[in-house]
């Protein structure tokens, strides 16, 4: 009798376990996990890149420095806008750095750090980066510290969120001569390590220590600055304010 009861107990337990497994599977089917829409992918040559959930590379355009899309008409056919209404981000990405704009054609587009995001039509498969350094478009990195702006008169350097960078003609190589009140109007630019587009060489960037003990990044031996009256991304008012400070061209 005892053996029979034990067998019945085991059968009952197995039946209960089977029921729980089936219930769990049913619950998973009823409540599927949302798919990641944008994530960080690794490229051997370019490093960390932003891709969609399937691994298709996303891009920034240097012409979008002000935070609006300047790609329309035929351009939009080659560089389709990336947009997901439910933007589920992958590990390592801060959701607050993403946004949405409405383009001139009325369509919506996602942005990262204010830069509109695009695909490249000739990237046929996940992992391809054929659009990098093509017509002012570059593979979108999550951690650029220097990028390009271009409002029509040529390429120049900006920081990760589109703030214009300057050099000072009174500086010596790898030495800043902008101190005191000058440094208030022209704050030094520093980030470590520099992460730059593929059209730039990391060897052109260097770190110095200023006379005020602050650190500063140089480009081709010239210390880099912001202008405190450039209030919006894409502003470049510094040249007009002081002829000795020049926007850093990179053509």
């Amino acid at each position: 009798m005892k053996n029979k009861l034990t067998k019945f107990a085991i059968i009952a337990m197995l039946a209960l376990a089977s029921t729980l497994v089936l219930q769990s599977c049913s619950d998973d089917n009823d409540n599927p996990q949302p798919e990641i829409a944008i994530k960080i992918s690794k490229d051997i040559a370019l490093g960390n890149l932003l891709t969609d959930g399937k691994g298709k590379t996303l891009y920034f355009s240097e012409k979008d420095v002000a935070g609006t899309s300047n790609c329309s008409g035929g351009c939009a056919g080659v560089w389709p806008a990336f947009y997901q209404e439910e933007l589920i981000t992958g590990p390592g990405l801060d959701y607050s750095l993403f946004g949405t704009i409405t383009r001139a054609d009325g369509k919506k587009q996602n942005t990262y750090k204010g830069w509109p995001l695009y695909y490249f039509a000739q990237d046929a498969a996940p992992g391809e980066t054929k659009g990098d350094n093509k017509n002012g478009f570059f593979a979108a990195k999550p951690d650029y510290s220097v990028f390009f702006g271009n409002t029509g008169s040529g390429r120049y350097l900006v920081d990760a969120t589109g703030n214009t960078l300057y050099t000072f003609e009174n500086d010596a190589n790898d030495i800043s001569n902008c101190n005191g009140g000058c440094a208030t109007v022209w704050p030094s630019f520093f980030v470590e390590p520099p992460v730059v587009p593929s059209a730039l060489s990391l060897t052109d960037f260097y770190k110095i220590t200023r006379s005020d003990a602050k650190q500063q990044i140089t480009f081709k031996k010239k210390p880099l600055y912001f202008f405190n009256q450039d209030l919006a991304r894409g502003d470049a008012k510094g040249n007009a304010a002081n002829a000795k400070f020049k926007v850093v061209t990179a053509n």
Side-chain angles (χ1 to χ4, degrees):
M1 179 65 71
K2 184 175 180 180
N3 288 339
K4 288 183 179 180
L5 287 175
T6 302
K7 289 179 181 180
F8 285 136
I10 291 172
I11 292 171
M13 290 175 65
L14 290 174
L16 177 59
S18 177
T19 300
L20 290 173
V21 169
L22 291 173
Q23 180 65 43
S24 175
C25 292
S26 176
D27 289 344
D28 288 343
N29 291 332
D30 292 340
N31 300 287
Q33 294 296 313
E35 292 187 6
I36 291 174
I38 191 165
K39 64 182 182 179
I40 298 174
S41 296
K42 186 76 171 181
D43 180 82
I44 294 175
L46 297 175
N48 289 334
L49 304 179
L50 293 179
T51 68
D52 70 6
K54 297 180 180 179
K56 292 287 291 292
T57 303
L58 299 174
Y59 295 86
F60 297 146
S61 169
E62 63 186 28
K63 294 181 180 179
D64 294 348
V65 63
T68 57
S69 173
N70 287 279
C71 180
S72 58
C75 175
V78 179
W79 303 94
F82 170 77
Y83 176 67
Q84 291 288 328
E85 184 175 3
E86 297 294 329
L87 192 66
I88 308 300
T89 58
L93 289 173
D94 183 348
Y95 180 80
S96 69
L97 297 177
F98 292 89
T100 302
I101 60 171
T102 300
R103 298 162 46 85
D105 58 12
K107 296 180 181 179
K108 292 184 177 181
Q109 185 170 8
N110 293 128
T111 64
Y112 178 72
K113 294 184 180 179
W115 297 95
L117 292 163
Y118 302 85
Y119 289 111
F120 180 48
Q122 294 181 27
D123 283 346
E128 292 186 345
T129 57
K130 296 176 182 176
D132 183 64
N133 197 11
K134 189 177 184 66
N135 298 328
F137 285 80
F138 291 86
K141 294 186 179 184
D143 52 354
Y144 275 127
S145 51
V146 175
F147 197 65
F148 295 124
N150 191 337
T151 57
S153 57
R155 179 179 286 173
Y156 60 95
L157 298 189
V158 299
D159 75 352
T161 54
N163 298 297
T164 302
L165 297 172
Y166 298 84
T167 55
F168 182 34
E169 67 179 39
N170 287 1
D171 284 347
N173 285 348
D174 292 325
I175 297 175
S176 170
N177 289 309
C178 178
N179 304 296
C182 174
T184 300
V185 178
W186 302 92
S188 59
F189 169 66
F190 178 73
V191 66
E192 191 176 40
V195 178
V196 304
S198 58
L200 292 174
S201 173
L202 270 178
T203 59
D204 286 332
F205 293 85
Y206 187 67
K207 177 178 68 175
I208 63 170
T209 300
R210 298 161 43 87
S211 61
D212 58 9
K214 294 181 180 179
Q215 293 183 313
Q216 188 169 8
I217 292 294
T218 65
F219 174 66
K220 296 183 177 179
K221 297 186 178 297
K222 297 301 181 183
L224 297 176
Y225 303 86
F226 296 113
F227 178 46
N228 70 355
Q229 295 302 306
D230 284 345
L231 302 180
R233 58 181 301 143
D235 281 354
K237 302 174 183 177
N239 280 155
N242 188 330
K244 291 188 176 183
F245 284 84
K246 305 293 185 183
V247 170
V248 187
T249 58
N251 292 319

Short mmCIF file of all heavy atoms in Angstrom, two decimals, residues 27 52 60 77 91 98 120 144 168 192 198 233 246:
data_model
loop_
_atom_site.label_atom_id
_atom_site.label_comp_id
_atom_site.label_asym_id
_atom_site.label_seq_id
_atom_site.Cartn_x
_atom_site.Cartn_y
_atom_site.Cartn_z
N ASP A 27 1.98 31.74 -20.63
CA ASP A 27 2.15 33.12 -20.17
C ASP A 27 3.16 33.86 -21.03
O ASP A 27 2.98 35.04 -21.36
CB ASP A 27 2.60 33.15 -18.72
CG ASP A 27 1.49 32.72 -17.77
OD1 ASP A 27 0.32 32.69 -18.21
OD2 ASP A 27 1.80 32.39 -16.59
N ASP A 52 20.36 48.91 -35.65
CA ASP A 52 19.00 48.55 -35.26
C ASP A 52 19.03 47.18 -34.59
O ASP A 52 20.09 46.58 -34.40
CB ASP A 52 18.04 48.62 -36.45
CG ASP A 52 18.27 47.52 -37.49
OD1 ASP A 52 19.10 46.61 -37.27
OD2 ASP A 52 17.60 47.57 -38.55
N PHE A 60 25.06 59.05 -38.86
CA PHE A 60 24.84 60.49 -38.65
C PHE A 60 25.28 61.23 -39.91
O PHE A 60 26.16 60.77 -40.64
CB PHE A 60 25.71 61.04 -37.51
CG PHE A 60 25.46 60.47 -36.15
CD1 PHE A 60 26.52 60.32 -35.26
CD2 PHE A 60 24.19 60.10 -35.73
CE1 PHE A 60 26.32 59.81 -33.98
CE2 PHE A 60 23.97 59.60 -34.46
CZ PHE A 60 25.04 59.45 -33.58
N GLY A 77 16.12 58.85 -50.28
CA GLY A 77 16.05 57.52 -50.88
C GLY A 77 17.31 56.72 -50.64
O GLY A 77 17.26 55.50 -50.47
N PRO A 91 21.42 47.00 -24.06
CA PRO A 91 22.34 47.24 -22.93
C PRO A 91 23.39 48.30 -23.27
O PRO A 91 23.89 48.36 -24.39
CB PRO A 91 22.99 45.87 -22.71
CG PRO A 91 22.03 44.89 -23.31
CD PRO A 91 21.40 45.58 -24.46
N PHE A 98 18.03 59.65 -26.44
CA PHE A 98 17.31 59.50 -27.71
C PHE A 98 16.14 60.47 -27.75
O PHE A 98 15.57 60.84 -26.72
CB PHE A 98 16.80 58.07 -27.88
CG PHE A 98 17.90 57.06 -28.08
CD1 PHE A 98 18.50 56.43 -27.01
CD2 PHE A 98 18.34 56.75 -29.36
CE1 PHE A 98 19.53 55.52 -27.18
CE2 PHE A 98 19.36 55.83 -29.56
CZ PHE A 98 19.95 55.22 -28.46
N PHE A 120 21.75 53.31 -44.57
CA PHE A 120 22.32 53.50 -45.91
C PHE A 120 21.74 52.42 -46.79
O PHE A 120 21.83 51.24 -46.48
CB PHE A 120 23.84 53.42 -45.87
CG PHE A 120 24.50 53.62 -47.20
CD1 PHE A 120 24.14 54.68 -48.03
CD2 PHE A 120 25.49 52.76 -47.65
CE1 PHE A 120 24.74 54.87 -49.26
CE2 PHE A 120 26.12 52.95 -48.87
CZ PHE A 120 25.74 54.00 -49.69
N TYR A 144 30.97 59.06 -29.66
CA TYR A 144 31.77 60.12 -30.30
C TYR A 144 32.01 61.24 -29.29
O TYR A 144 31.10 61.68 -28.58
CB TYR A 144 31.02 60.73 -31.48
CG TYR A 144 31.15 60.01 -32.79
CD1 TYR A 144 30.02 59.64 -33.51
CD2 TYR A 144 32.40 59.72 -33.35
CE1 TYR A 144 30.13 58.99 -34.74
CE2 TYR A 144 32.51 59.07 -34.56
CZ TYR A 144 31.37 58.70 -35.25
OH TYR A 144 31.48 58.06 -36.46
N PHE A 168 42.84 79.27 -30.97
CA PHE A 168 43.24 80.64 -30.64
C PHE A 168 44.60 80.91 -31.27
O PHE A 168 45.57 80.19 -31.01
CB PHE A 168 43.30 80.78 -29.11
CG PHE A 168 43.66 82.13 -28.59
CD1 PHE A 168 43.27 83.30 -29.23
CD2 PHE A 168 44.38 82.24 -27.40
CE1 PHE A 168 43.58 84.54 -28.72
CE2 PHE A 168 44.69 83.48 -26.87
CZ PHE A 168 44.30 84.65 -27.54
N GLU A 192 38.14 62.51 -22.56
CA GLU A 192 39.11 61.42 -22.62
C GLU A 192 38.40 60.08 -22.55
O GLU A 192 37.53 59.88 -21.68
CB GLU A 192 40.11 61.54 -21.47
CG GLU A 192 41.30 60.63 -21.58
CD GLU A 192 42.32 60.86 -20.47
OE1 GLU A 192 41.88 61.08 -19.32
OE2 GLU A 192 43.52 60.82 -20.75
N SER A 198 35.90 58.32 -38.73
CA SER A 198 36.97 57.63 -39.44
C SER A 198 37.76 58.55 -40.35
O SER A 198 38.87 58.21 -40.76
CB SER A 198 36.38 56.47 -40.26
OG SER A 198 35.41 56.95 -41.18
N ARG A 233 23.16 74.26 -30.41
CA ARG A 233 24.01 73.40 -31.22
C ARG A 233 24.08 73.95 -32.64
O ARG A 233 23.08 74.43 -33.19
CB ARG A 233 23.53 71.95 -31.20
CG ARG A 233 22.13 71.73 -31.66
CD ARG A 233 21.75 70.25 -31.59
NE ARG A 233 22.64 69.44 -32.39
CZ ARG A 233 23.05 68.23 -32.05
NH1 ARG A 233 22.66 67.69 -30.91
NH2 ARG A 233 23.86 67.54 -32.83
N LYS A 246 39.28 80.94 -34.21
CA LYS A 246 38.83 80.42 -35.51
C LYS A 246 38.12 79.08 -35.32
O LYS A 246 38.57 78.22 -34.53
CB LYS A 246 40.03 80.19 -36.43
CG LYS A 246 40.92 81.42 -36.64
CD LYS A 246 40.20 82.51 -37.40
CE LYS A 246 41.16 83.67 -37.70
NZ LYS A 246 40.46 84.79 -38.37
#
